[in-house]
Amino acid sequence: MKIVLGVSGSIAAYKSPDLVRRLRELGHEVRVVMSRGGISFVTPLTLQAVSGYPVVYDLLDPAHEAGMGHIELARWADLILIAPASANLISRLAAGSAEDLLSAIVLATEKPIMLAPGMNRLMWANPFVQRNIAALSAAGIDILTPGSGAQACGEVGLGRMPEPLEIRDHVTAFFQRSATDAAFDSRAEIEVEMVDGADEIDDENSEPQGALIGKRVVITAGPTVEEIDPVRYISNYSSGKMGYALAQVAQRLGAEVTLISGPVAIAPPAGVETIAIKSAEEMMQAVERACQGADLFIAAAAVADYRVADRALEKIKKSDDQDELILKLTKNPDILATIAKGEARPTLCIGFAAETNNIEENAKSKLRRKNVDMICLNDVSGGKVFGAAENEMLLFKRDGSVTPIAKADKAIVAEKIFEEIINLFPAKFWC
């Protein structure tokens, strides 16, 4: 495929030459466009050497066809990928600015756009930056979640540009999704022609075609936060990536999607109603409301099993003569079991299990105890899965069958999970 790689003014630009090499290893053509800030961190000559194309950065370069390089490149590309995307560039894109070649290409293209942010942790957390991220995401731009770790400024936190191999995997997953969507659209056109030409339609024998148009789907994602006092809490390592990927797939399939999410560093998916919660009790209340009349409930969130029985109203002070602090915990509501066993149960209820030992036995037990239709099993021993871009799963169903999903980008895993879910719906569901 043809990729325009934008490089803006972030120290993470030092990774861009490696990203070009990784993309070309898969056979993609890559042309690099730089902002003036990007040139300060890596030279155009370096990127020209690894891409095999001249690097451009002037908005009105007479060397380009008719001096309109932004139009030429916008038409050429199959994907506009900006890595790194600095806070400054993100701000300009959200404002619709076209003051340089890179931002002009974004405004002048109808092609998909993907951003890999890279900035200081405080800049990433800034409400103005997050507002801009949300606006770009709502406009259909694919925003990759930055990584967490040591930064060039010496601080540690969320904001690192994803590594080149991770970005390459996102690009691969994107093109695979595009190919799948194109095949589905083509198949749908053929099916419409067949129906239009048929004298009769046997409703009892009609097969679902994978679309969820007119159906209501509720998905939970991310961790819950159980406060100890105003400044401390109990939580887990869930990033929310799997639940968000499921919400995006459901939305693409035409469903009306409600995503109920704990605190995560991911922009809300475009076209999806997203409800932000903190605690398990808040999630329980939101899920009960959302599941009224829902057709499918997917519990992908990592809900804390326990909360502090008596949350302190003020910060708990450390005492020099107290070596231990004992917290009394009380059980949180079981959201999945409550919905799956309730009177207003959706047609299908799907659960997730993150296990570190006896994984298959625990998944089968959860399937029975919670009265669900399928359990998606994650092996999280050794810190696997949490926060990663990829996942692998075993899907356990009521009929005793087990379907493995090989390790792949979470977006692809989400598509495969929905393939199995669609096959679980009873025939009358599609009538």
Side-chain angles (χ1 to χ4, degrees), residues 134-267:
L136 294 173
S137 179
I141 292 178
D142 194 357
I143 311 290
L144 305 189
T145 304
S148 180
Q151 300 185 318
C153 58
E155 297 182 356
V156 177
L158 201 66
R160 289 167 56 96
M161 186 183 88
E163 295 302 316
L165 284 174
E166 185 178 352
I167 297 174
R168 185 192 70 178
D169 289 345
H170 277 287
V171 170
T172 299
F174 165 77
F175 284 131
Q176 289 174 338
R177 289 197 305 271
S178 299
T180 300
D181 290 346
F184 176 80
D185 291 341
S186 176
R187 186 169 67 247
E189 290 178 5
I190 294 171
E191 288 159 358
V192 169
E193 292 177 1
M194 292 175 64
V195 170
D196 288 343
D199 294 326
E200 296 181 357
I201 300 175
D202 184 357
D203 288 338
E204 293 184 359
N205 295 324
S206 62
E207 293 289 339
Q209 301 302 326
L212 294 175
I213 295 174
K215 307 303 181 183
R216 289 190 55 217
V217 177
V218 178
I219 301 173
T220 64
T224 62
V225 168
E226 312 300 332
E227 292 187 345
I228 298 171
D229 62 19
V231 299
R232 301 180 181 92
Y233 60 84
I234 299 171
S235 190
N236 57 63
Y237 293 114
S238 175
S239 67
K241 291 178 181 178
M242 192 70 250
Y244 276 61
L246 288 164
Q248 289 177 320
V249 173
Q251 192 272 338
R252 287 207 311 272
L253 290 173
E256 177 187 338
V257 185
T258 299
L259 176 63
I260 301 169
S261 174
V264 298
I266 309 177

Side-chain angles (χ1 to χ4, degrees), residues 344-366:
R345 186 190 198 275
T347 303
L348 288 183
C349 290
I350 309 299
F352 275 65
E355 303 290 347
T356 59
N357 61 294
N358 299 325
I359 59 175
E360 295 194 15
E361 293 81 356
N362 290 337
K364 292 175 183 177
S365 173
K366 190 171 186 177

